[in-house]
Amino acid sequence: MQLDVDWYDADVMNKASDEGKLLPFIECLRRRRSLICGPAHLSLLNGFPIAAFVYCHPTHAFEEVDELEAEIIYRIAREEPDTVLFSAGQGASPTLVSRLHSQYPEIVFIDAGSLWDPYVGVMSRSGHKKCGWEGYLRLGKLNFNQDISLW
């Protein structure tokens, strides 16, 4: 299957987050209807409206990729999001973007990776651990213009 998909480096978002420069992206998401596909801990994310959430296993989402695809298709029909954010792992996220993009060219699909984890208290990467919760409380004020401890 040949895909006509523009892929971008996700490190741009992680770098913006680490430098406290993610707010323009967040402000854009605040004007959109987003669906998130990710582990349950991301349901604590409160920095922008989430129209729908599709839960996946935190470490083995690829094993459920067919079920996730079906649930996302159902949620797209029901909730009509214009943006789908994936935090479903290195196998499931790109697979789902590849499968869904051709079916829904009007929807923006973004593999956000672990971008949201530290903002809900999950330090899933070494960089998150190095910064720590106090660092992400400070970054939350810059990146979301909110006190994330109130989420």
Side-chain angles (χ1 to χ4, degrees):
M1 175 166 94
Q2 184 71 17
L3 289 176
D4 183 24
V5 177
D6 291 327
W7 292 94
Y8 297 94
D9 187 350
D11 282 343
V12 171
M13 290 189 293
N14 289 319
K15 185 175 181 184
S17 173
D18 293 347
E19 294 175 358
K21 297 177 181 176
L22 195 63
L23 187 58
F25 178 61
I26 299 303
E27 288 175 338
C28 179
L29 290 176
R30 288 176 177 159
R31 295 187 302 270
R32 301 184 68 84
R33 289 185 54 79
S34 296
L35 180 153
I36 291 184
C37 176
H41 65 262
L42 295 184
S43 64
L44 299 173
L45 189 61
N46 199 21
F48 53 89
I50 299 169
F53 206 108
V54 174
Y55 296 100
C56 69
H57 191 279
T59 57
H60 299 291
F62 188 73
E63 295 173 13
E64 56 189 9
V65 74
D66 294 331
E67 294 84 359
L68 292 171
E69 180 181 12
E71 181 66 17
I72 291 166
I73 289 170
Y74 171 78
R75 293 291 179 182
I76 287 172
R78 187 169 184 186
E79 307 296 336
E80 300 181 347
D82 55 13
T83 305
V84 179
L85 301 163
F86 293 95
S87 292
Q90 294 177 337
S93 291
T95 299
L96 290 164
V97 169
S98 296
R99 289 182 181 182
L100 295 166
H101 178 265
S102 61
Q103 295 178 60
Y104 303 98
E106 71 283 4
I107 296 176
V108 175
F109 294 95
I110 299 174
D111 180 353
S114 61
L115 179 67
W116 314 119
D117 285 354
Y119 295 105
V120 296
V122 177
M123 305 301 159
S124 62
R125 302 290 181 267
S126 60
H128 301 161
K129 293 172 188 166
K130 184 177 179 183
C131 187
W133 178 240
E134 291 300 319
Y136 278 98
L137 287 174
R138 180 183 58 78
L139 285 171
K141 289 179 183 174
L142 295 172
N143 289 326
F144 291 91
N145 200 26
Q146 295 177 351
D147 181 354
I148 66 170
S149 69
L150 301 176
W151 294 354

